[in-house]
Amino acid sequence: MKKNRFIYITIITFFSFKGYAQNSKFYVTDKINDKYAYVDVIKTYERVAEKGYKSADLFKKLGDSYYQNAELDKAAKWYCELFAMNNTDLEPKYYYQYAMSLKFIGQIDKANEMLVKLKQKSEAIAEKKNQK
């Protein structure tokens, strides 16, 4: 009985290692990727925004993209557009990222104003959680 278990475990182990080994499909996908053209999504979003399309989702994506790429001056521009839409239901992270972007470009007073709004937003969220 123990001998049969040992054989089964050995067979299962052998096939599991074989399944995780490198295979040629990995290299085939690398070759296929060379054939595709890459689209610069940020530039595409910017062209859409420049044509007059305004959406909170579009401005969030543009601001987040530039913020994550450490281009805070451009991020501030798009977060400014986002906050100009008077959205009161924005997540707190947008207040923070906008404030940091504003500090980067030297608009300290406006950044501090955003941080005050962030504090108010966070307190309101905490109150709602406590009421539940």
Side-chain angles (χ1 to χ4, degrees):
M1 186 88 169
K2 288 185 179 182
K3 188 175 183 180
N4 288 342
R5 274 191 194 161
F6 178 74
I7 292 172
Y8 290 128
I9 291 173
T10 305
I11 291 171
I12 291 171
T13 306
F14 174 74
F15 284 112
S16 66
F17 283 129
K18 180 126 173 99
Y20 287 111
Q22 291 181 348
N23 55 24
S24 62
K25 289 181 182 181
F26 177 78
Y27 298 107
V28 171
T29 57
D30 282 347
K31 292 176 186 174
I32 290 172
N33 284 339
D34 292 339
K35 296 178 185 177
Y36 292 110
Y38 294 97
V39 177
D40 189 357
V41 177
I42 296 172
K43 297 295 180 196
T44 304
Y45 284 148
E46 280 186 333
R47 277 187 258 136
V48 169
E50 288 170 1
K51 289 185 179 183
Y53 180 76
K54 294 186 178 196
S55 142
D57 189 47
L58 175 68
F59 295 144
K60 285 179 186 179
K61 287 178 182 178
L62 279 166
D64 288 347
S65 298
Y66 281 122
Y67 188 84
Q68 291 170 358
N69 289 328
E71 295 183 54
L72 299 180
D73 52 336
K74 293 178 182 177
K77 172 187 173 185
W78 295 110
Y79 286 138
C80 181
E81 292 286 333
L82 175 64
F83 280 89
M85 295 182 75
N86 293 325
N87 287 337
T88 57
D89 59 335
L90 292 172
E91 294 93 19
K93 83 172 194 171
Y94 292 107
Y95 290 88
Y96 177 77
Q97 291 176 350
Y98 185 34
M100 293 302 109
S101 300
L102 288 171
K103 280 190 177 187
F104 178 78
I105 61 174
Q107 295 183 9
I108 306 298
D109 293 335
K110 196 169 181 182
N112 289 336
E113 182 183 318
M114 281 295 122
L115 290 174
V116 168
K117 288 182 180 181
L118 170 64
K119 183 179 177 184
Q120 293 169 351
K121 183 89 169 171
S122 298
E123 288 172 353
I125 291 172
E127 276 184 34
K128 286 182 182 177
K129 285 184 180 179
N130 288 338
Q131 290 176 353
K132 290 181 181 180

